[in-house]
Amino acid sequence: MRERFWERYPLHELTGEEWEALCDGCGQCCLLKLEDADTGQVAVLNVACELLDIPSCRCSDYANRFARVPGCTRLTLERVEQFRWLPHSCAYRRLYEGRKLAAWHPLNAGDDRRLRRKGIDVSSFAVSQREVPEEHLEDHIIAVLPIDD
């Protein structure tokens, strides 16, 4: 990867490897969401996708995630503006909005220890989708995001 690529190149000039490296490993995008069809609001649950390895906040089958989880969403530059539910801390969102990466981001900090110390990742509160029956998902709402147009 090119040195400090996230500061030197616009998103559309990143290689595939650089794009993937922007992920801070927080696991927040792997939390289940429920969208209200009438209001457009998105409810975020503390329930993680069945493939998320919660302690590491990494997908346990990243290469096959789209085949195994039909609702898994591919975050691409062409679609990043559609993902307004991404947390404000997300590197993809930050760079798309013209902001810099946070100091705790693993690309700046050199590892994920600062991210974990700050509690940015979901490892301390997420539960696996395997443990929550579908009829109880609404009991696990932790935030409701108003979505601005």
Side-chain angles (χ1 to χ4, degrees):
M1 290 186 285
R2 296 172 290 183
E3 184 177 338
R4 301 196 67 82
F5 63 86
W6 61 94
E7 295 175 340
R8 299 175 60 216
Y9 301 96
L11 288 174
H12 70 273
E13 290 184 15
L14 299 185
T15 66
E17 182 183 17
E18 290 166 344
W19 177 265
E20 291 288 323
L22 289 177
C23 177
D24 59 31
C26 72
Q28 291 188 49
C29 61
C30 298
L31 295 178
L32 300 188
K33 289 133 192 98
L34 302 173
E35 183 174 356
D36 185 307
D38 296 328
T39 67
Q41 290 184 322
V42 175
V44 180
L45 313 182
N46 69 336
V47 179
C49 168
E50 64 187 77
L51 294 181
L52 185 69
D53 175 65
I54 294 173
S56 71
C57 290
R58 294 292 181 181
C59 184
S60 62
D61 193 7
Y62 192 74
N64 300 302
R65 67 194 185 281
F66 301 118
R68 293 191 52 197
V69 179
C72 186
T73 304
R74 182 183 303 269
L75 182 61
T76 63
L77 176 59
E78 296 76 27
R79 299 179 66 204
V80 73
E81 75 176 28
Q82 297 171 14
F83 302 115
R84 295 171 291 185
W85 48 262
L86 288 169
H88 289 281
S89 60
C90 176
Y92 297 104
R93 182 172 182 170
R94 290 177 72 101
L95 294 178
Y96 180 78
E97 293 175 349
R99 296 182 290 140
K100 294 182 178 194
L101 291 187
W104 51 258
H105 191 286
L107 288 172
N108 281 326
D111 58 43
D112 66 358
R113 289 183 301 210
R114 289 178 73 186
L115 165 113
R116 295 197 182 277
R117 277 197 310 268
K118 288 192 155 291
I120 305 291
D121 71 342
V122 303
S123 65
S124 65
F125 66 86
V127 296
S128 176
Q129 183 178 10
R130 295 181 191 121
E131 299 172 19
V132 180
E134 191 168 335
E135 62 270 15
H136 292 275
L137 287 176
E138 288 187 2
D139 298 337
H140 290 266
I141 294 173
I142 57 172
V144 176
L145 311 174
I147 302 298
D148 303 322
D149 288 328

